[in-house]
Amino acid sequence: MHMASEDSLRAFYDASLLPVLQEIEAERQKVLNAFLIHIGIGIAAGIPLFAFASPIAGIAAVVIAAIVFFIRFGSKIGELKKRFKEQVIGKIVNFIHADLSFDHTRFIPQSVYNKSKLYLSSISRYNGDDMVSGTVGKTNIRFSELHTQQVRKSGKSTTVVTIFRGLFFVADFNKNFVGETFVLPDTAESTFGGLGTFFQKMNMSRPKLVKLEDIEFEKAFAVYGSDQIEARYILSTALMQRILTFKKKTRCDISLSFIDSSVFIGIPVNKDLFEAPMFSSMINYSMIAEYYSYLTLCIGIVEDLDLNTRIWSKE
């Protein structure tokens, strides 16, 4: 895997990404200028309508101008966003690891998300994009952005609640697990201290609580397992330390599960990643560096959790 230094990432940006970004930026400027012209016309028409007809007529003029713009330029915006993902994000993925592919139209299937049992709330809406897949060393991996939501209705009011939003990662663990093991953020311990264990044990939606010897790990995570011996076998001292280090790296409340022969990891990120900026310049190295850091975070999970070391073989 290509873990670039600041200098090599900058050199890659200058040589491979900047020429493409400059081309896309020129097109973005044209679209933005067209948007400003349309809105300007809408405002010019709307001001006298607002003053002499009605406020609604004035606002309608601006809205109509915006609608006309999107009818005329909507496909062009979609084309720019697609080009950014294929020619910029795709290149970054291949720069990090040549054996990985990127498809901005695909995402982790809902069946895989459900199989992980990381987030048990029922889902009304399931969306995603930006799938990275392939092999890192001996390990098959997949990850994408996901956004899962639940629509809740109470009387006449409707509320849309986010269940999970972020990067969802799946990798082959090269072991057919007998049971199911879950490593979840320990909100009870952090909120209730010593009483946390009581609330963890009362979690009826999970298998039995697994108590481990690592105090730091116990403070960060609650572990549940349908096979207590296997859960302790999976969560070796080395793996627990690697998971803790990875949690600190992400600065997120990550969740993991070990089911069948896969490890599933949810990394909450409260924003859309890898998107082309339409109202700011594409020529932005810090934006590219941020996208690179999220991609290396996920691709680096193989090394972070030492998944290529085959301590077990599949039965």
Side-chain angles (χ1 to χ4, degrees):
M1 191 175 81
H2 194 143
M3 297 295 288
S5 65
E6 179 67 26
D7 288 343
S8 62
L9 179 60
R10 185 81 209 202
F12 166 71
Y13 171 83
D14 290 338
S16 299
L17 299 185
L18 191 55
V20 177
L21 287 167
Q22 287 170 335
E23 289 179 14
I24 304 175
E25 172 62 15
E27 294 300 312
R28 186 196 70 85
Q29 288 280 2
K30 291 177 185 177
V31 172
L32 181 61
N33 290 338
F35 174 75
L36 295 175
I37 289 168
H38 279 73
I39 295 301
I41 292 170
I43 291 171
I47 289 172
L49 288 171
F50 190 95
F52 300 110
S54 71
I56 293 175
I59 294 169
V62 178
V63 172
I64 290 168
I67 291 171
V68 171
F69 166 78
F70 283 107
I71 290 172
R72 293 185 62 197
F73 291 92
S75 61
K76 183 66 175 178
I77 293 171
E79 182 186 311
L80 288 177
K81 289 182 175 182
K82 178 183 176 184
R83 191 174 172 194
F84 179 85
K85 291 206 174 188
E86 291 179 347
Q87 298 183 15
V88 178
I89 303 301
K91 277 188 176 182
I92 297 172
V93 170
N94 288 138
F95 172 68
I96 297 169
H97 201 291
D99 293 331
L100 295 176
S101 61
F102 173 75
D103 188 336
H104 69 94
T105 66
R106 294 176 61 219
F107 49 91
I108 298 293
Q110 188 171 346
S111 59
V112 175
Y113 172 92
N114 290 342
K115 183 180 177 181
S116 76
K117 299 182 183 179
L118 286 177
Y119 308 98
L120 299 178
S121 300
S122 61
I123 298 168
S124 309
R125 299 175 184 173
Y126 187 91
N127 298 295
D129 59 2
D130 298 338
M131 171 94 91
V132 175
S133 59
T135 305
V136 176
K138 302 172 186 176
T139 304
N140 293 319
I141 71 166
R142 287 183 288 169
F143 66 89
S144 77
E145 285 193 82
L146 286 183
H147 191 186
T148 65
Q149 297 169 296
Q150 184 183 83
V151 178
R152 298 174 183 172
K153 294 184 178 180
S154 177
K156 293 183 179 180
S157 66
T158 300
T159 307
V160 179
V161 178
T162 290
I163 305 302
F164 173 76
R165 184 184 184 190
L167 292 161
F168 194 88
F169 176 94
V170 188
D172 172 26
F173 206 75
N174 205 53
K175 162 74 175 173
N176 288 323
F177 303 116
V178 174
E180 299 176 346
T181 301
F182 302 90
V183 179
L184 306 176
D186 192 351
T187 52
E189 178 92 15
S190 59
T191 305
F192 299 107
L195 281 172
T197 300
F198 170 76
F199 289 109
Q200 291 164 357
K201 287 180 178 177
M202 295 297 288
N203 189 342
M204 304 304 289
S205 62
R206 296 295 182 185
K208 286 186 178 181
L209 186 69
V210 179
K211 295 301 288 180
L212 300 163
E213 301 300 319
D214 191 312
I215 296 172
E216 187 183 3
F217 195 83
E218 288 266 287
K219 286 182 179 178
F221 297 102
V223 178
Y224 301 90
S226 59
D227 187 312
Q228 296 268 319
I229 294 172
E230 183 178 66
R232 291 189 179 91
Y233 194 44
I234 292 168
L235 293 169
S236 64
T237 302
L239 183 56
M240 283 192 287
Q241 192 55 54
R242 286 175 175 275
I243 292 172
L244 276 172
T245 301
F246 182 71
K247 174 182 166 61
K248 290 172 185 174
K249 183 191 287 190
T250 64
R251 298 193 294 275
C252 294
D253 284 332
I254 61 170
S255 302
L256 304 89
S257 63
F258 301 83
I259 297 172
D260 287 345
S261 59
S262 298
V263 54
F264 305 86
I265 306 176
I267 306 168
V269 181
N270 195 29
K271 62 180 177 179
D272 290 330
L273 298 171
F274 317 128
E275 299 298 324
M278 296 310 296
F279 290 96
S280 60
S281 176
M282 299 268 185
I283 313 301
N284 185 341
Y285 175 75
S286 62
M287 172 189 70
I288 296 299
E290 181 187 23
Y291 291 167
Y292 171 84
S293 69
Y294 276 110
L295 288 166
T296 52
L297 175 75
C298 284
I299 296 168
I301 287 173
V302 174
E303 292 181 13
D304 288 337
L305 301 190
D306 199 23
L307 299 182
N308 276 325
T309 299
R310 301 314 206 188
I311 60 172
W312 295 299
S313 60
K314 285 188 179 178
E315 294 159 6

